[in-house]
Amino acid sequence: MLRINRYKSTLTVSLMFCLLSTMSCGFDDGYDNEDQNDDAVRVAFRMSYANGNTRAANEGWDDYDPKDDGTAYENAINTEQLQIKVCDENGTIIGDVENVIAINNGTDTNPDYSITGTWENAADKLSKAKKIMVFANCGTSIVTPDNIQNLAFARSATTQYIPMWGVTTLTNELVVGKSNNLGTIDLLRSLAKVKVKLADGMKSRKYSLGAMQLNNYNTSGYTLPLTYNTVASTAAIRFGNSLHANSSWAQSITMTNNDDESIMLYIPEYDNINAATDRKATISLQLMRDGEEEGNYTLHFCNYTPEGAPDAASTYNIQRNHYYEYTVGRTDDQVKIVLNVKKWNLRQHDEIIM
């Protein structure tokens, strides 16, 4: 049976901003809440990765309630390059939160950051401040009003950190001379995760994964989704209109074995729906048994018919913060592929027969 679950657990991060006065947060921002004689706005929040599965199916991230831990790489944040921007209602940057201090109270796999920072000389801009944006792992790129929309990265530069972004709308005007609670911001990773693995029992039957490559992909990506400046929060973004694929096509990239049972790759977004027929994204798979080639197969980013043929009308885009997991099995001399696009919109189809 081909099961397609479009959801986003391991590819979504949450910044959890706790109320400073809430004892359960156990977080002291270190600031005195008495009025100060300056025009600086102080912010303090908790940045952590929630863990879990989604609760419901829809076309966006607004039902996000994750439970699965990501890997240390997927959750890593270079705190020395963390950028927090104050924006107007149109997403235009009007100020920077500086002097950012990040303390990790968790682990590398499941970080839990306490964050403090200051927006200096803010008094005359308070009425324009409507949104807060968070940028992580942008390398040496400084986010500015001029480059925010087309802020890009090369996939080759993401070996240590995945670029991330998130936004929230302020519910109250920021107050000078005091610490301000910023609520909750969800961060989206700007890469997608693709994994091919053997089904249970395949290794004991002497099967292994051989040479594999992803055909047709982008070598670069944009840090922000297309609708970054029109949404009130990250969770309000819809999958259908937010794809922001960078035109940096390349023919293929080798997928390297993690071990003899799984292969994984992280790639930027790709407009697979509108791609020409000869540029649709596929995975070329060599299946081995007892050291000999058993066969070569092509995996598609789409639904399949009950007869096992790819349904071109259901082609998937390769989209940020999604996890495309293929499971390869073999029964009765037929190779069977199960594709899970985690973790949204459960759909069920017949097995893919090759």
Side-chain angles (χ1 to χ4, degrees):
M1 178 173 291
L2 171 62
R3 297 176 301 167
I4 300 179
N5 294 318
R6 282 192 73 190
Y7 44 84
K8 65 173 183 74
S9 168
T10 57
L11 287 184
T12 299
V13 181
S14 287
L15 291 178
M16 304 306 294
F17 292 76
C18 297
L19 287 171
L20 304 180
S21 59
T22 303
M23 302 247 336
S24 62
C25 276
F27 175 47
D28 180 3
D29 68 350
Y31 288 131
D32 188 340
N33 280 332
E34 294 298 322
D35 289 340
Q36 305 293 318
N37 294 321
D38 60 26
D39 62 355
V41 170
R42 296 177 174 86
V43 297
F45 53 87
R46 173 160 288 169
M47 184 171 71
S48 66
Y49 295 79
N51 303 312
N53 293 319
T54 73
R55 296 169 302 195
N58 62 11
E59 296 298 331
W61 280 289
D62 48 340
D63 264 352
Y64 181 51
D65 183 23
K67 286 186 172 48
D68 295 335
D69 288 344
T71 66
Y73 166 66
E74 294 163 3
N75 292 342
I77 288 182
N78 186 340
T79 56
E80 293 183 358
Q81 298 175 350
L82 190 66
Q83 299 182 58
I84 304 170
K85 305 293 181 177
V86 184
C87 303
D88 65 15
E89 61 184 355
N90 298 314
T92 301
I93 298 172
I94 63 173
D96 301 308
V97 176
E98 301 174 308
N99 303 316
V100 176
I101 299 174
I103 300 174
N104 185 10
N105 303 305
T107 65
D108 289 342
T109 301
N110 188 18
D112 182 3
Y113 286 100
S114 298
I115 307 290
T116 59
T118 306
W119 178 23
E120 300 285 355
N121 304 315
D124 61 343
K125 299 178 183 178
L126 289 179
S127 62
K128 296 180 181 179
K130 303 298 181 183
K131 296 179 180 179
I132 300 292
M133 292 190 186
V134 177
F135 299 79
N137 303 337
C138 293
T140 58
S141 298
I142 303 300
V143 185
T144 70
D146 294 330
N147 70 11
I148 182 173
Q149 181 176 6
N150 296 314
L151 188 68
F153 61 90
R155 179 190 172 274
S156 59
T158 64
T159 54
Q160 286 187 291
Y161 300 101
I162 299 174
M164 305 181 193
W165 166 89
V167 62
T168 191
T169 296
L170 298 172
T171 56
N172 298 296
E173 184 172 298
L174 296 172
V175 180
V176 297
K178 290 187 177 182
S179 295
N180 292 260
N181 165 52
L182 300 184
T184 300
I185 299 179
D186 296 319
L187 283 186
L188 300 182
R189 296 177 180 87
S190 300
L191 295 180
K193 177 180 178 180
V194 180
K195 183 177 182 179
V196 180
K197 67 177 184 178
L198 290 177
D200 292 342
M202 289 284 285
K203 184 177 181 180
S204 64
R205 295 164 58 201
K206 300 184 178 181
Y207 284 98
S208 62
L209 297 173
M212 194 177 306
Q213 68 180 29
L214 174 71
N215 307 303
N216 301 310
Y217 75 106
N218 283 326
T219 61
S220 297
Y222 290 115
T223 303
L224 282 67
L226 189 62
T227 53
Y228 79 96
N229 61 340
T230 61
V231 294
S233 67
T234 315
I237 295 173
R238 304 292 88 188
F239 299 146
N241 62 358
S242 63
L243 185 77
H244 195 190
N246 187 303
S247 298
S248 52
W249 175 85
Q251 186 171 12
S252 64
I253 183 172
T254 300
M255 298 179 66
T256 305
N257 289 35
N258 301 328
D259 49 50
D260 57 0
E261 293 185 84
S262 68
I263 293 178
M264 194 152 55
L265 184 70
Y266 298 88
I267 52 175
E269 291 187 308
Y270 186 73
D271 189 353
N272 199 36
I273 291 176
N274 295 312
T277 302
D278 61 348
R279 289 197 175 186
K280 296 293 186 185
T282 61
I283 296 174
S284 298
L285 163 68
Q286 180 189 49
L287 186 62
M288 309 291 290
R289 187 174 191 186
D290 201 17
E292 300 291 332
E293 180 181 297
E294 185 279 334
N296 291 279
Y297 305 94
T298 299
L299 312 182
H300 299 268
F301 290 82
C302 68
N303 292 340
Y304 283 74
T305 68
E307 294 74 30
D311 178 10
S314 67
T315 298
Y316 294 150
N317 286 325
I318 296 176
Q319 196 150 6
R320 70 184 61 222
N321 225 79
H322 282 67
Y323 178 9
Y324 303 82
E325 182 183 78
Y326 294 86
T327 302
V328 180
R330 188 175 181 86
T331 305
D332 299 329
D333 295 325
Q334 294 175 322
V335 171
K336 301 179 181 179
I337 310 296
V338 176
L339 170 60
N340 290 295
V341 185
K342 298 184 175 182
K343 293 188 171 180
W344 291 90
N345 300 342
L346 175 63
R347 298 195 280 276
Q348 293 188 333
H349 299 267
D350 291 346
E351 291 171 333
I352 305 171
I353 309 300
M354 290 185 166

